[in-house]
Amino acid sequence: MIREEFAQFLKKLKTANDNGQDIDAIVKEYEHRNVYFYNDGSIKKILASEKNLTLTTDLINAALNLVGSDRIENPQLVNPYVPGELGYRSVEPDLLLTNDRGTGVPRDRISIDVQHENNDSLYSDRLVLYVARLTGSMEKPGDFTPLENLHVVSFQFFDAFKGSPNYLHTVQLRNQEQRVYFERQTVTLVEVNKFLKHAEQFAGDRSRIAQWLRAIDTLNREADFSEFAGDPVFRVLQNEVKLCNFSAGYMLSNIMKDIDKSYWEYGAARKKAKEVAKNFLLDGDSVEKVARNTGLPQSTVLELKKEIESPET
C-alpha cells in the first residue's frame, strides 16, 4: 500500500479496536496486501530482524555504495526487533548496527532513519544530533581510542539540496578547499521523492540503490514485480512486506504514528492529487507515470482516465 492507503487501513484498525471489534479479522482481510515499507514500524520489523540480515546488509551497501573489501559483511543489530515483543520507540534512529572489521581496524557503526516531513527545516538538526550522540557513545570516560567509522543513512521524502540533479548525497567534514578532514564520519542522504518523481531522468541509473528504490516503490504501489523477481534479495523483500507477517497488536502499538499527519490530511491531499492527475492525463501522460508522480494507486488513475474519456452528459 502507498502511505495514504496504509494510513486508512490503520485508522480502520484503530477504530475497530476502540469499538471492541475483532481486529485480527481485519488483518486477515488485508493479509494479501503489502504494508507501506517506509513506515517506522514496518521498516524496523523488516530490517531489524536477525533472519533478514542479508536483506539489511544489501540495502546498507547499496546506500553507501560499498563494494569489494569495503562492503559491510557481518553486521550486528544493536536495536533488533524481537518476535513476540511490541518493541520500543526513542529519539534514536530507526535502525542501528555495528560491523567488526577485525583487529586494529575501527569497526563500523551504521544507523538508518526514515523521515517524511522536514518539520520546519529542523531535520538537519536532528541528523546532526544523531551524529553527535552516536559519536559520543563510542568512547568510555578516561579511555580515548580511535573513533569508529560512522555512517548515518537517511531516507527522506523532501529535498535536502534543492536544485541539485542528484538524489544521493554524501556529507562529510571538509575544509574550504573541499578536502575531507575526517573520513570516518559520513551522512548519506537518499532523496526518495526526487528519485521517484524524476524517474525518467534516472532511468539509466543501474546502481544498486536505484534498484532498491524502484523495488520498494513497486511493492508500495503493489504493481507488477516481475522485473525484480529474479533477484534473491528482492524476493525476500517481496515476502517480508506482506501484511500477513504483521500482527494486529504490533501494528496498533508501533505503526500508529504514521496515521497522525497522513490520515487527517488524506482527504485534502487526495483531492488535490486527483486534480493534478487529471491534468497529467489530459497532457497525454501514461497511467503508470501519473500514478508514480502523484502517489495515487493505478486503479484510481484508471478511473480518472475513464472519467476523462467518457464524461457524463
Side-chain angles (χ1 to χ4, degrees):
M1 289 180 265
I2 61 174
R3 189 185 183 203
E4 289 79 10
E5 287 180 295
F6 195 46
Q8 277 194 312
F9 162 74
L10 292 172
K11 179 62 177 180
K12 180 178 180 178
L13 194 66
K14 182 178 186 301
T15 300
N17 185 65
D18 292 344
N19 293 334
Q21 297 173 334
D22 187 353
I23 58 176
D24 290 324
I26 295 176
V27 172
K28 179 69 175 177
E29 177 187 348
Y30 283 80
E31 66 179 359
H32 65 288
R33 302 293 302 275
N34 295 341
V35 298
Y36 175 61
F37 177 83
Y38 292 111
N39 174 278
D40 286 355
S42 298
I43 202 170
K44 180 172 176 61
K45 185 179 184 301
I46 294 169
L47 296 183
S49 169
E50 295 289 349
K51 72 182 180 71
N52 288 336
L53 270 180
T54 299
L55 189 72
T56 307
T57 303
D58 194 274
L59 176 59
I60 291 171
N61 285 319
L64 299 177
N65 193 29
L66 296 178
V67 297
S69 61
D70 289 333
R71 289 175 58 84
I72 304 297
E73 296 291 351
N74 299 296
Q76 300 294 315
L77 290 164
V78 176
N79 58 342
Y81 161 74
V82 180
E85 293 187 6
L86 293 180
Y88 60 90
R89 305 191 64 85
S90 71
V91 294
E92 301 301 333
D94 297 328
L95 189 64
L96 187 60
L97 309 95
T98 59
N99 179 69
D100 196 339
R101 292 187 178 270
T103 305
V105 181
R107 72 172 182 173
D108 302 286
R109 188 173 296 204
I110 310 113
S111 78
I112 298 177
D113 192 56
V114 174
Q115 184 72 12
H116 286 88
E117 285 85 29
N118 200 6
N119 297 330
D120 298 322
S121 300
L122 286 176
Y123 186 60
S124 57
D125 297 57
R126 178 173 165 180
L127 281 183
V128 171
L129 178 61
Y130 283 169
V131 171
R133 283 186 169 179
L134 292 170
T135 302
S137 65
M138 294 177 187
E139 295 297 320
K140 297 179 181 179
D143 184 23
F144 189 80
T145 57
L147 296 177
E148 299 170 351
N149 297 309
L150 175 62
H151 301 283
V152 175
V153 182
S154 172
F155 291 87
Q156 53 193 55
F157 288 76
F158 50 89
D159 291 352
F161 296 97
K162 293 182 179 180
S164 169
N166 301 305
Y167 66 90
L168 188 66
H169 304 274
T170 300
V171 181
Q172 291 180 303
L173 288 172
R174 297 174 182 267
N175 72 351
Q176 69 273 24
E177 299 166 359
Q178 296 305 303
R179 297 174 63 182
V180 177
Y181 176 69
F182 189 71
E183 63 181 10
R184 296 199 305 277
Q185 192 176 82
T186 304
V187 175
T188 299
L189 307 176
V190 185
E191 296 172 333
V192 180
N193 266 359
K194 181 185 288 186
F195 179 84
L196 297 178
K197 288 184 176 180
H198 301 280
E200 294 178 355
Q201 176 183 334
F202 300 116
D205 186 344
R206 307 311 301 174
S207 65
R208 188 61 174 170
I209 189 59
Q211 294 175 28
W212 262 94
L213 295 177
R214 294 185 187 108
I216 293 170
D217 180 57
T218 301
L219 290 171
N220 282 341
R221 293 185 290 107
E222 298 175 321
D224 182 8
F225 199 69
S226 58
E227 176 186 352
F228 309 97
D231 187 307
V233 170
F234 292 146
R235 282 202 303 271
V236 173
L237 178 65
Q238 183 182 26
N239 178 69
E240 292 300 315
V241 299
K242 294 299 181 186
L243 195 142
C244 60
N245 296 316
F246 294 73
S247 70
Y250 179 82
M251 284 187 284
L252 284 174
S253 299
N254 291 273
I255 303 182
M256 293 304 295
K257 174 187 175 185
D258 202 45
I259 284 182
D260 297 342
K261 193 163 185 176
S262 70
Y263 181 80
W264 297 115
E265 293 183 353
Y266 177 77
R270 188 175 176 84
K271 182 178 180 180
K272 182 177 179 180
K274 284 184 175 182
E275 294 173 355
V276 173
K278 285 184 176 181
N279 289 331
F280 282 147
L281 290 169
L282 288 170
D283 288 340
D285 288 343
S286 68
V287 169
E288 185 172 0
K289 181 178 179 181
V290 173
R292 184 172 63 243
N293 288 341
T294 61
L296 291 171
Q298 287 193 34
S299 58
T300 300
V301 178
L302 281 170
E303 292 175 1
L304 294 173
K305 185 177 182 180
K306 291 178 181 177
E307 291 178 12
I308 293 172
E309 293 175 345
S310 303
E312 295 181 0
T313 57

